[in-house]
Amino acid sequence: MTESPEQQRPAVLRKRLRTAPAQLRTALTRLPHWWPLPVCVLLGTASGLSYGLLASPQYEATSYAMAVAEEEAVPGAALGYAQSYGRLVTSDATLSYAQGAAGEPVRALRSQVRSETSPDSPMISVTGTSDRPGKAADIANAVIEAVIVSSGHVSKDTGVKLIKFTHAMKPDQPVSPSVPLGTAVGAAAGGLLGGLVLLVRPRRAGWSVSAQVPGPTAAEDQATTTTTTDDRELVR
């Protein structure tokens, strides 16, 4: 009894599923050995383009404070205390004091505030980061004010006080990479990854590296034959 097309369809599907891995392996072996490179470049380009289009732009604003030593302070004390206050910028006490003016909780401020100090000058820079330019400036100003207030509480004991040097201004342009730059970085990263894949992947069976040695020319063959004949005559 002949099976109907509906009854034959599951058997055909099972057969195709069994032969699919073998067909995939056969198709991969027919590809050139350098195929991972263009694939990785294409994936990297798509990733960089997607990041540039979908990621929200980030803005940075920076404010500065300077450590000033009193007359009775030890020379060089301002530089040392500037380094110490720079480490306290991202402390929980400073961020807790600044969260009201910054409009952000302490947990968010930890990832939005960065401080830097100079080994040559008693200067502290506080940088605020946000997806809104005005918010970035508010964060930087709020945190630098918190550090200045904290230093004022102990200025009589340390002989050093902090004063605001510059006020953070609203940035005009984002610091996050643009769409062309993100695409170029993604393509470069994909190309690097593809090159590494080509270096570490195992070679296919049958690949060999052999040097092509040229065979003797007709003149060399004739010279070799003549030399062999002369040697035989000498032996006789």
Side-chain angles (χ1 to χ4, degrees):
M1 181 177 181
T2 306
E3 295 181 352
S4 62
E6 289 76 10
Q7 295 175 345
Q8 294 178 357
R9 187 173 301 173
V12 173
L13 292 176
R14 287 194 298 269
K15 183 178 180 181
R16 290 181 179 178
L17 291 176
R18 287 195 300 267
T19 58
Q23 293 176 354
L24 180 60
R25 289 193 298 268
T26 303
L28 290 177
T29 55
R30 293 177 180 176
L31 292 175
H33 68 279
W34 45 264
W35 70 265
L37 182 59
V39 171
C40 291
V41 171
L42 182 61
L43 292 177
T45 303
S47 300
L49 179 62
S50 301
Y51 177 80
L53 292 175
L54 300 178
S56 58
Q58 296 294 313
Y59 296 87
E60 288 186 354
T62 304
S63 59
Y64 295 89
M66 178 176 289
V68 179
E70 303 290 345
E71 294 180 358
E72 63 274 9
V74 178
L79 183 59
Y81 277 103
Q83 303 290 329
S84 301
Y85 287 131
R87 297 186 183 95
L88 294 176
V89 168
T90 56
S91 64
D92 290 341
T94 302
L95 298 180
S96 298
Y97 188 87
Q99 64 177 344
E104 295 286 345
V106 175
R107 181 178 300 178
L109 287 178
R110 287 195 186 99
S111 60
Q112 293 177 295
V113 176
R114 184 178 73 253
S115 66
E116 295 179 0
T117 56
S118 173
D120 302 324
S121 63
M123 187 80 71
I124 302 172
S125 66
V126 177
T127 303
T129 305
S130 177
D131 56 354
R132 292 176 291 172
K135 178 62 68 174
D138 293 341
I139 292 174
N141 291 324
V143 174
I144 203 73
E145 288 287 351
V147 177
I148 291 174
V149 171
S150 300
S151 66
H153 293 161
V154 295
S155 60
K156 293 182 179 179
D157 299 327
T158 60
V160 176
K161 64 179 180 179
L162 288 179
I163 60 173
K164 181 178 285 188
F165 191 74
T166 59
H167 189 78
M169 303 299 294
K170 181 179 177 180
D172 297 331
Q173 297 180 352
V175 295
S176 54
S178 59
V179 175
L181 180 59
T183 304
V185 172
L192 178 60
L193 181 60
L196 293 176
V197 171
L198 291 179
L199 290 176
V200 302
R201 68 179 303 198
R203 292 180 178 272
R204 294 178 182 175
W207 284 11
S208 62
V209 179
S210 59
Q212 299 294 333
V213 180
T217 61
E220 292 177 349
D221 289 341
Q222 184 178 0
T224 303
T225 304
T226 304
T227 303
T228 305
T229 305
D230 294 341
D231 292 340
R232 289 177 180 178
E233 291 178 356
L234 291 175
V235 171
R236 291 177 182 176

